[in-house]
């Protein structure tokens, strides 16, 4: 009922960060390929952390 008071778990935080980075990478892919690749790399690093938590 009061989901607004529920704290996010580490897994949920990392998942949100991963999705945000992929979205930024997609947006940058048409503007600056180098920055897009960097964001994709950062997203993959976050995914590795997520897999390590499982």
């Amino acid at each position: 009922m009061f989901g607004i008071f529920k704290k996010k778990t580490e897994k949920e935080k990392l998942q949100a960060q991963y999705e945000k980075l992929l979205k930024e990478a997609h947006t940058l892919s048409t503007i600056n390929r180098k920055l897009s690749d960097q964001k994709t790399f950062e997203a993959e690093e976050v995914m590795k952390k997520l897999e390590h938590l499982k």
Side-chain angles (χ1 to χ4, degrees):
M1 181 174 174
F2 292 101
I4 58 173
F5 298 114
K6 182 182 173 193
K7 294 191 184 272
K8 286 187 176 182
T9 65
E10 186 68 24
K11 185 177 177 182
E12 291 171 333
K13 288 179 187 177
L14 287 173
Q15 184 66 32
Q17 184 181 7
Y18 176 74
E19 291 173 8
K20 179 183 172 206
L21 286 169
L22 282 183
K23 190 174 188 179
E24 288 176 8
H26 178 68
T27 303
L28 287 170
S29 67
T30 58
I31 302 168
N32 188 333
R33 185 64 188 183
K34 187 175 181 180
L35 285 177
S36 174
D37 290 343
Q38 182 181 358
K39 291 292 182 182
T40 304
F41 176 76
E42 290 174 15
E44 291 302 318
E45 292 298 313
V46 171
M47 180 54 76
K48 288 178 184 177
K49 290 179 186 177
L50 260 171
E51 290 174 352
H52 183 28
L53 284 178
K54 292 181 182 180

